[in-house]
Amino acid sequence: MIRGNPITHLNRGIAIAFAGVSGLAGQATAEPLNRGALEALFEEPVTLSATGAPQRATEAPVNMTIITQEEIRRSGAVDLPGVLERLATVDVMRSTAGQADVSIRGYNEPFSPRLLVLLNGRQVYLDDYGRTNWDAIPVQLGEIRQIEVVSGPSTALFGFNAVAGVVNIITFDALEDDIDQVMMRAGSHGHYAGSAIWTARLAENLGARLSLGGFDAQASAGDDDLALAFFGTEAVDPNARSVALNAAYDIAENIRADFEATWSSSERLDRFATSLVDLPYETSSLKIALSADVAPGLLSAHIYSNDLAYGDQDDATAFGALDNRTTVAAIALVAKLAPAHTLRIAGEYRRNELAQGGGDLGYDVYSLSGMWNWQATPALAVTTAARYDLLELERSGAFVSPDFPFANEDYDQSFSEWSFNLGAVYRTSPRDTLRLGAARGIGSPSLAEYGFNVIAPDPSIGGVVIVAGDPSAAPTIVSNLEFGWDREISTIDGRLRAAVFLQRNENLRSFASRQEHFGSTQPGRRIASAADRGLRCAWPRAGSGRAPRPVQLGCPICVG
Amino acid sequence: MVDGISSRSAEGARMSARSIAVLWAVFIMFVPMAHAATTPRDLQAIARAVGFINGLPRGAVDVAIVDGPGADALINAMGRGVSAGGVTLNPRRISLARLAQSGARIIIVPEGQGAAHEAIAAAARQLNAVTLSTDMACVRSGRCVVGVATSPRVEIVVSRAAATASRVTFSQAFRVMIREI
């Protein structure tokens, strides 16, 4: 339950905030999956991000940290990267005012494509580069129930982009949790921010939550210098706006529908590899989800559409302007077939379309996946998950130059890949848990890598170059072996979490080479293969979830 | 000399330890052990678990507390009712003889009523009622449906045989997260 304590944030200067968060205990568990009620029962966060089936956080067979609302509030962070950078496993790189790139286990770079970021299961990373614009994610910190951070590949559950890890942002329930909050903040560098969250119980079985927020700030002097050197003008002042409407409707005692509509915009100077872009983003989305508690198990289905407009396609001078639509439909069934055996089967279809420079690039992905959790003994659980993805690429329309190096037929490409996650969790004592995991993850090339259709200015050569991508680009394959140890420390109501891992990346790609990007027709650079050995240990969060203490002592060590 | 004193002291200590062990063994053999009381945390977990049982009413509901050993302590612990998860459990003392005619849908079995487990289970089957207890032995024997433990961590154990016999079903998400035996 959340009570109406005033919240004060300090942000780079004077901060003024007032907020009222009130909660209702209404947890009659009519709907198929009531996270709040399950969390209250088991006295710890409940997640679906490890196996797709509901699980207690302490029993997840992956390296996962869950950041609760209490921890977000106590952190004083004012944005999502600020919340995440407190984790020992996460690297946050802030390149310009407003731009932040987040990575797990290294390989961070501007427009990093190795992290899968979801908002209530809907992808909010952008498919153009596979990157995440954190300012454009239409969620306010006050409406987040928890952020689930998975380290290591999780393609077998989530599909492409879950290469280095997964960040799944879970908001409060529009029907069960009453969140009302107003926040205003002011700081140095012309920083003004505000947000409002309002929840309404429209009927006994219908609830809705409206949230909106945004900020304005001044570009830093360093950003102005960069922009002056590149564009001949000062940097755009960073700003963002977002609005989200969530609704939940209990159709029957065992059937529930969820609806989400969002819109967001953001603008800032983006440092991309060694180049700069300052085009405005605009995103919107629609999502409908159904879940049902039926005889065989927990059945869920959703369909959503994400739209991204980057720059103005009608503006011929707008380098990189594009429209991207991603449509995803998925269905899954989680069933406990026997006391020790839980199965999950799922299917997903994804359509991705990129309109740019008069051409249309797109691909379809067909996926089937399965998960089997075997509770071998009360202390030992073994989880096996596998997924098959088939991607079919296509292109139509014009090219930006007669010198473009590819024809539309060159884009008739496809690939199929298997991915898997194996995990064993052994509770050696009430306080100690050992985890052993092995995974094979797949990182599909982004739309930019497959086929941009842009003429770009290149001051270094005093002219322009064609940015074309490569339709034969191969996916990144990540192999990961990991051993972890968790120990509850009751004296601090916390937990020690340590892990060692061995990770190998094949066909690792990067945008971090300007010469490769602008001097040739390939926007990405393949760095052959790389292997990492790592050690991580941290006191990540409270053990029981009853009195969390946001203590983070980390010693991440990566040896490449 | 010093070694001699040391040796005698060590021998004395060993004898003392042996005496204490013998006295302790006699104590635990002949003194009836008090049953672990059902704690407020246990009761909260029981109330929350009730919220995941299909077909039960929400809000304030009467629960039968079988009269006998442990009943007084349990009823005292529940006070004027235990509220959690949208459910308020109001205790009603029912004698074992009248349990089958009580119409109860929820029965909480106090610790220490092992001898009555079979009779309680028979009444629960007749009533299609769910039996909950912190006495895990009742669940392991297939006579109670739901076992709840909260220390050192929350553990929920469900006897499938008892649940089937009493026609008790649970939400699927709950089933996935608990241990069935």
Side-chain angles (χ1 to χ4, degrees), chain A residues 4-263:
Chain A
N5 295 327
I7 298 173
T8 301
H9 287 294
L10 290 174
N11 174 42
R12 305 183 193 107
I14 301 168
I16 305 167
F18 60 88
V21 184
S22 62
L24 293 177
Q27 292 176 338
T29 56
E31 70 269 24
L33 179 65
N34 187 330
R35 279 177 188 266
L38 289 167
E39 181 181 313
L41 172 61
F42 292 107
E43 299 182 354
E44 62 177 294
V46 172
T47 179
L48 281 78
S49 292
T51 63
Q55 274 187 309
R56 302 167 70 158
T58 54
E59 295 179 351
V62 296
N63 193 330
M64 174 189 288
T65 303
I66 295 182
I67 307 168
T68 64
Q69 167 59 217
E70 178 76 2
E71 290 166 325
I72 293 171
R73 189 174 65 80
R74 291 188 183 193
S75 74
V78 297
D79 57 16
L80 286 165
V83 174
L84 294 171
E85 68 188 352
R86 284 161 173 77
L87 298 186
T89 188
V90 173
D91 300 316
V92 175
M93 180 170 67
R94 295 184 186 271
S95 304
T96 64
Q99 182 186 3
D101 286 282
V102 177
S103 78
I104 294 175
R105 295 184 175 169
Y107 301 107
N108 206 356
E109 61 174 320
F111 291 19
S112 174
R114 293 169 57 83
L115 187 66
L116 178 70
V117 184
L118 306 164
L119 174 60
N120 293 323
R122 177 179 69 84
Q123 76 165 63
V124 288
Y125 75 88
L126 306 176
D127 272 304
D128 56 350
Y129 289 90
R131 41 99 182 235
T132 302
N133 179 352
W134 296 91
D135 286 343
I137 297 177
V139 68
Q140 310 306 318
L141 292 184
E143 64 182 322
I144 297 174
R145 171 188 292 282
Q146 62 194 38
I147 303 174
E148 302 166 352
V149 182
V150 180
S151 300
S154 292
T155 311
L157 182 63
F158 292 108
F160 300 143
N161 247 53
V163 176
V166 178
V167 174
N168 195 2
I169 304 163
I170 307 295
T171 62
F172 284 106
D173 189 302
L175 181 59
E176 301 296 340
D177 303 306
D178 187 5
I179 310 297
D180 300 294
Q181 183 182 100
V182 176
M183 184 278 295
M184 288 189 294
R185 188 172 58 238
S188 59
H189 295 85
H191 188 98
Y192 298 96
S195 68
I197 305 165
W198 177 62
T199 309
R201 188 80 177 247
L202 304 171
E204 184 63 27
N205 57 348
L206 175 64
R209 185 180 65 249
L210 179 68
S211 68
L212 51 98
F215 77 89
D216 281 289
Q218 291 172 355
S220 69
D223 291 351
D224 280 338
D225 291 343
L226 280 172
L228 280 167
F230 197 85
F231 302 123
T233 61
E234 290 188 340
V236 63
D237 287 334
N239 64 81
R241 306 282 184 274
S242 71
V243 58
L245 174 65
N246 286 271
Y249 177 53
D250 281 340
I251 298 170
E253 188 173 348
N254 61 335
I255 304 174
R256 174 179 166 133
D258 284 275
F259 170 80
E260 180 197 69
T262 72
W263 173 89

Side-chain angles (χ1 to χ4, degrees), chain A residues 27-29 32-33 37-38 40-44 46 54-56 58-59 293-295 297-298 336 339 378 427 430, chain B residues 41 45 48-49 51-52 55 58 85-86 150 152-156 160 170-181:
Chain A
Q27 292 176 338
T29 56
L33 179 65
L38 289 167
L41 172 61
F42 292 107
E43 299 182 354
E44 62 177 294
V46 172
Q55 274 187 309
R56 302 167 70 158
T58 54
E59 295 179 351
D293 188 318
V294 291
L298 199 60
K336 191 167 185 176
R427 186 171 283 274
Chain B
R41 191 175 164 203
R48 294 187 193 286
F52 292 96
R58 310 298 172 194
T150 56
R153 70 199 296 260
V154 174
E155 300 284 357
I156 311 287
R160 280 167 63 102
F170 301 89
S171 83
Q172 297 288 351
F174 178 78
R175 277 193 63 220
V176 169
M177 294 185 65
I178 52 94
R179 189 156 68 89
E180 292 179 318
I181 57 176

